[in-house]
């Protein structure tokens, strides 16, 4: 065999091997993402097997695909998997341009657009869940669900001008005056409400009049200016989108991990239907605390805002008796912590009520073996699976702190019923030691 023929044979073999490795990496990458939800042990075995088969470089590539799955859009092109030679109908640049165009077209107000990377992270999980190729996902459909709803109103500014022209005529001592007046209106479209993928902003305006003069000339303007702007965290649009895509709590947790792996802060302050994921130990890095009594303290926060005593009712302004213990959100570095606050069952027991209760909003009642029932009121949401006749253990997350019902702010109302009467919760549990 000639040298040229031998070299050509080697090149053919090398190209074939490279093609097979690419196919294997794609296949293993998808399987690895799915395996995360089924168990780290299975993933570990797979990674070891791949490490032996592919060597160090291939192993590192697979790690990137598994743990930074949201970045697949950028990993794939580096291997030429979407090049014209791979048979893909779209190039990497075309795919990125589609996402950029969809996000840009969602609104003219860039501050309200859904983050492009977040859209890509969600779509990349859909590829695995729905077993589709990357170019088969239409970014426009997802962006249309996350785009903002902008409410606008026409405001009319009014302007007035008065000009005096003096002309001296020959032989006269006093000038002749000519007065010219004009007024006009200018209509402006201003935002009154912006309902975005993660918040609701509202704007109010007031009229402001200014005037100026120069000699006999005067001008006046009455224009609308911003009076107040409020912003409220609201992930309901985002939650509804994920729910329509049949995302589970495990899917959402993987999305959170991908966002963090890319050092993004899209989901900071999240509270919603996947609250159990963000409210769990993995989000907080903290465990339920044991009080000096026999119960688990019901929140991570230990900031008591109202006790079991007479007080001025915030709604009526009258003296009334407060039949429980209010625990507010913790304050960290002088600022209110806006992360979701998980609520824990204080002791083993049976759920007797899990739903809306007059005055308490979303509430959970748990009956314990000693005949005492604990009440958890004003919850933002109740944990999936928490329902009547459900047996729970001390420390079980039963919901997220909120402000539903008759409430003036986010907090937990903890009540204790003993022999049908409300009792002071601090008779049964006290603050964790050192607090």
């Amino acid at each position: 065999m000639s040298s040229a023929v031998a070299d050509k044979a080697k090149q053919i073999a090398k190209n074939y091997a490279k093609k097979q490795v690419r196919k294997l990496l794609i296949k293993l990458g998808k399987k690895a993402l799915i395996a995360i939800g089924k168990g780290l042990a299975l993933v570990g075995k797979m990674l070891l097997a791949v490490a032996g088969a592919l060597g160090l470089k291939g192993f590192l590539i697979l790690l990137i695909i598994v743990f930074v799955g949201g970045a697949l859009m950028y990993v794939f092109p580096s291997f030429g998997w979407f090049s014209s030679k791979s048979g893909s109908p779209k190039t990497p640049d075309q795919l990125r341009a589609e996402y950029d165009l969809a996000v840009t077209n969602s609104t003219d107000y860039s501050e309200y657009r859904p983050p492009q990377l977040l859209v890509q992270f969600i779509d990349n999980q859909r590829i695995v869940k729905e077993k589709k190729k990357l170019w088969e996902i239409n970014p426009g459909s997802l962006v249309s669900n996350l785009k903002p709803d902008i409410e606008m109103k026409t405001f009319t500014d009014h302007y007035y001008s008065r000009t005096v022209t003096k002309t001296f005529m020959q032989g006269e001592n006093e000038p002749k005056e000519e007065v010219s007046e004009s007024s006009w209106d200018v209509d402006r479209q201003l935002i009154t409400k912006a309902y975005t993928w993660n918040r609701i902003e509202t704007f109010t305006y007031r009229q402001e009049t200014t005037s100026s003069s120069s000699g006999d000339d005067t001008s006046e303007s009455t224009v609308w200016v911003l009076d107040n702007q409020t912003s409220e965290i609201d992930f309901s649009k985002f939650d509804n989108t994920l729910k329509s895509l049949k995302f589970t709590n495990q899917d959402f947790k993987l999305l959170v991990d991908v966002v963090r792996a890319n050092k993004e802060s899209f989901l900071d302050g999240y509270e919603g239907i996947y609250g159990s994921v963000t409210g769990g130990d993995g989000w907080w890095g903290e465990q339920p605390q044991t009080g000096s009594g026999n119960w688990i303290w019901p929140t991570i926060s230990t900031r008591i805002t109202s006790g079991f005593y007479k007080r001025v009712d915030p709604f009526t302004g009258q003296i009334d008796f407060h039949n429980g213990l209010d625990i507010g959100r913790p304050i960290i570095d002088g600022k209110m912590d806006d992360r979701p606050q998980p609520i824990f069952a204080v002791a083993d027991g049976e759920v007797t009520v899990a739903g809306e209760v007059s005055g308490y909003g979303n509430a959970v009642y748990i009956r314990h073996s000693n005949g005492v029932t604990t009440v958890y009121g004003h919850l933002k949401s109740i944990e999936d699976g928490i329902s009547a006749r459900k047996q729970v253990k001390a420390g079980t997350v039963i919901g997220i702190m909120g402000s539903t019902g008759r409430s003036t702010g986010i907090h937990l109302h903890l009540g204790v019923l003993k022999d049908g009467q409300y009792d002071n919760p601090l008779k049964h549990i006290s603050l964790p030691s050192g607090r």
Side-chain angles (χ1 to χ4, degrees):
M1 181 182 296
S2 67
S3 176
V5 173
D7 290 341
K8 184 174 182 180
K10 290 180 181 180
Q11 185 61 41
I12 292 174
K14 183 177 179 180
N15 290 340
Y16 177 80
K18 184 177 180 181
K19 184 177 181 180
Q20 295 304 310
V21 169
R22 286 174 176 171
K23 289 182 177 179
L24 178 61
L25 284 173
I26 295 174
K27 183 177 181 180
L28 290 177
K30 290 182 178 180
K31 288 184 176 180
L33 278 173
I34 297 173
I36 290 176
K38 296 181 178 180
L40 292 176
L42 179 60
V43 176
K45 292 180 182 179
M46 184 183 297
L47 292 176
L48 290 174
V50 174
L54 300 180
L56 179 59
K57 183 176 180 181
F59 180 64
L60 292 176
I61 292 170
L62 187 56
L63 280 180
I64 293 174
I65 295 174
V66 173
F67 294 108
V68 194
L72 294 178
M73 178 70 76
Y74 304 102
V75 176
F76 283 1
S78 66
F79 288 92
W81 293 341
F82 292 155
S83 66
S84 58
K85 294 181 180 179
S86 69
S88 166
K90 298 179 181 179
T91 67
D93 288 341
Q94 287 175 324
L95 289 169
R96 282 191 287 268
E98 284 187 10
Y99 278 96
D100 181 66
L101 182 62
V103 170
T104 301
N105 288 343
S106 64
T107 178
D108 292 333
Y109 302 94
S110 59
E111 66 270 28
Y112 297 137
R113 294 168 184 165
Q116 182 172 329
L117 276 180
L118 180 62
V119 174
Q120 291 177 204
F121 294 159
I122 295 173
D123 271 348
N124 286 333
Q125 284 189 240
R126 290 178 61 200
I127 292 168
V128 177
K129 285 173 62 66
E130 301 172 18
K131 298 180 180 179
K132 292 185 177 181
K133 296 180 176 63
L134 187 59
W135 55 85
E136 291 177 337
I137 296 292
N138 175 20
S141 62
L142 179 56
V143 172
S144 66
N145 290 329
L146 296 175
K147 70 179 183 181
D149 296 319
I150 306 293
E151 295 181 12
M152 305 193 73
K153 182 179 177 181
T154 300
F155 291 83
T156 302
D157 297 334
H158 181 73
Y159 298 88
Y160 168 79
S161 175
R162 181 178 184 273
T163 303
V164 178
T165 303
K166 294 181 179 182
T167 305
F168 284 89
M169 305 298 292
Q170 186 175 3
E172 294 184 3
N173 295 325
E174 296 295 330
K176 181 181 179 181
E177 293 186 351
E178 291 185 3
V179 178
S180 173
E181 295 181 294
S182 63
S183 63
W184 64 97
D185 294 332
V186 175
D187 291 339
R188 289 192 294 150
Q189 289 285 315
L190 299 178
I191 298 175
T192 56
K193 184 177 181 180
Y195 176 25
T196 75
W197 72 277
N198 67 342
R199 68 190 187 278
I200 297 177
E201 291 189 354
T202 56
F203 303 83
T204 57
Y205 302 87
R206 59 180 172 81
Q207 285 185 307
E208 188 174 273
T209 299
T210 59
S211 60
S212 62
S213 62
S214 177
D216 294 325
D217 297 341
T218 61
S219 63
E220 183 177 283
S221 62
T222 301
V223 300
W224 290 91
V225 297
L226 181 65
D227 183 46
N228 187 46
Q229 176 181 350
T230 62
S231 181
E232 175 187 359
I233 294 176
D234 190 310
F235 282 89
S236 55
K237 187 185 289 284
F238 173 72
D239 278 342
N240 290 336
T241 298
L242 294 191
K243 188 176 180 180
S244 69
L245 297 175
K246 299 181 180 180
F247 266 50
T248 64
N249 280 19
Q250 184 61 35
D251 294 329
F252 181 74
K253 189 177 188 305
L254 178 58
L255 178 62
V256 172
D257 292 340
V258 169
V259 168
R260 289 177 178 169
N262 285 272
K263 303 185 184 304
E264 298 292 348
S265 57
F266 305 137
L267 300 177
D268 286 358
Y270 172 83
E271 286 187 72
I273 62 175
Y274 298 97
S276 59
V277 175
T278 58
D281 297 335
W283 182 270
W284 284 91
E286 297 186 38
Q287 299 291 333
Q289 305 170 86
T290 302
S292 58
N294 297 321
W295 287 355
I296 294 294
W297 188 254
T299 65
I300 289 172
S301 172
T302 55
R303 189 172 67 89
I304 297 176
T305 58
S306 188
F308 186 80
Y309 46 63
K310 289 184 178 181
R311 66 171 187 177
V312 176
D313 188 294
F315 288 93
T316 66
Q318 303 296 316
I319 299 296
D320 198 2
F321 192 83
H322 185 236
N323 60 12
L325 191 69
D326 286 351
I327 306 172
R329 291 177 291 173
I331 295 177
I332 299 177
D333 296 329
K335 296 182 179 180
M336 193 76 72
D337 192 343
D338 62 359
R339 293 178 298 177
Q341 312 289 322
I343 304 301
F344 309 111
V346 300
D348 296 354
E350 179 183 13
V351 176
T352 57
V353 175
E356 188 172 348
V357 177
S358 178
Y360 289 142
N362 295 326
V364 174
Y365 287 58
I366 301 177
R367 183 171 57 226
H368 307 285
S369 59
N370 58 359
V372 171
T373 294
T374 50
V375 180
Y376 311 79
H378 307 307
L379 304 182
K380 166 77 174 180
S381 60
I382 297 174
E383 180 74 0
D384 290 344
I386 299 299
S387 57
R389 295 184 293 279
K390 172 75 173 181
Q391 298 292 327
V392 296
K393 294 291 185 180
T396 299
V397 176
I398 61 173
I400 299 297
M401 186 184 293
S403 185
T404 57
R406 195 170 182 267
S407 169
T408 58
I410 297 174
H411 71 286
L412 169 70
H413 174 90
L414 176 67
V416 173
L417 282 167
K418 184 177 182 180
D419 300 326
Q421 300 294 322
Y422 279 100
D423 197 14
N424 189 348
L426 291 179
K427 288 183 179 178
H428 303 264
I429 185 174
S430 56
L431 287 170
S433 59
R435 298 300 179 107

